[in-house]
Amino acid sequence: MTSRTLAQAVGLVLTGMFTVAGAAYAADTPSKQSTAHAGAASVQVAIDPTTHQLRAPTDAERAAYAKAMQQRQRRVSAFSAQPLTRADAAKTVRTVDFGNGMRGTAVKVPQEMMSSVVATRNADGTISIHHDGDQAAPKAPEATR
C-alpha cells in the first residue's frame, strides 16, 4: 500500500470515528431552548442604503436580528458543555454500543481543538473561506515584474 493510499485510509477511518463520536454525543446531550437574558443591554441600529446614515431599524429588521441572536446563542451554548482542554476531554472517554453488535469508543472533543469555517460570497461573485472570528486577509497586490 502506498503512503498516499494509507493516508487516505487513515483519514477515512478518522472521519468515521469523529462522525460516530459526534452522533453519540448528540444522542446523549439534552436539547435546551435558550432564552434571552433580561439583564443584557443592547442597541440596535441600521444603516440607510441610500444615505449611509444610521437609522432606527424597522420591526422586520428587529425580528430578523432577534432570530439571528437566538441562533448564535444556541451555537454558543452547544459548546459550553464541551471540555476546555485535552486533559478534561480524557475524562469523558466512554464505550458506545451501536446496537448492531459493534462497540466503539467516544470522547468529547475539547474546545481548544474546535474551530468554525465560514464561506462568504463577495460582491464580485467569488467565495471567500475563513475561520469564524478571523479577519479576512487583504489580497496581495499583483506582481508586475
Side-chain angles (χ1 to χ4, degrees), residues 22-30:
Y25 173 71
D28 289 346
T29 305

Side-chain angles (χ1 to χ4, degrees), residues 1-98:
M1 196 184 279
T2 66
S3 61
R4 181 177 179 182
T5 306
L6 180 62
Q8 289 174 341
V10 169
L12 185 60
V13 169
L14 287 174
T15 301
M17 288 173 45
F18 282 122
T19 302
V20 169
Y25 173 71
D28 289 346
T29 305
S31 177
K32 297 178 193 173
Q33 287 289 343
S34 64
T35 58
H37 299 288
S42 65
V43 175
Q44 295 179 359
V45 295
I47 297 176
D48 189 279
T50 55
T51 63
H52 302 290
Q53 298 295 316
L54 292 180
R55 62 171 172 78
T58 64
D59 289 338
E61 290 171 332
R62 286 185 190 277
Y65 179 71
K67 182 179 178 182
M69 287 302 293
Q70 286 176 347
Q71 289 173 346
R72 183 182 183 284
Q73 186 61 37
R74 272 191 232 117
R75 271 197 329 261
V76 169
S77 64
F79 290 121
S80 64
Q82 293 297 112
L84 295 175
T85 63
R86 291 179 190 202
D88 295 337
K91 299 173 189 172
T92 66
V93 175
R94 66 188 186 286
T95 302
V96 179
D97 183 12
F98 297 112

Side-chain angles (χ1 to χ4, degrees), residues 79-130:
F79 290 121
S80 64
Q82 293 297 112
L84 295 175
T85 63
R86 291 179 190 202
D88 295 337
K91 299 173 189 172
T92 66
V93 175
R94 66 188 186 286
T95 302
V96 179
D97 183 12
F98 297 112
N100 61 358
M102 300 291 294
R103 290 180 167 268
T105 303
V107 65
K108 291 184 179 180
V109 179
Q111 289 181 14
E112 67 183 18
M113 296 180 72
M114 291 188 177
S115 67
S116 297
V117 178
V118 178
T120 307
R121 184 176 303 275
N122 300 326
D124 62 357
T126 61
I127 296 177
S128 299
I129 299 174
H130 57 89

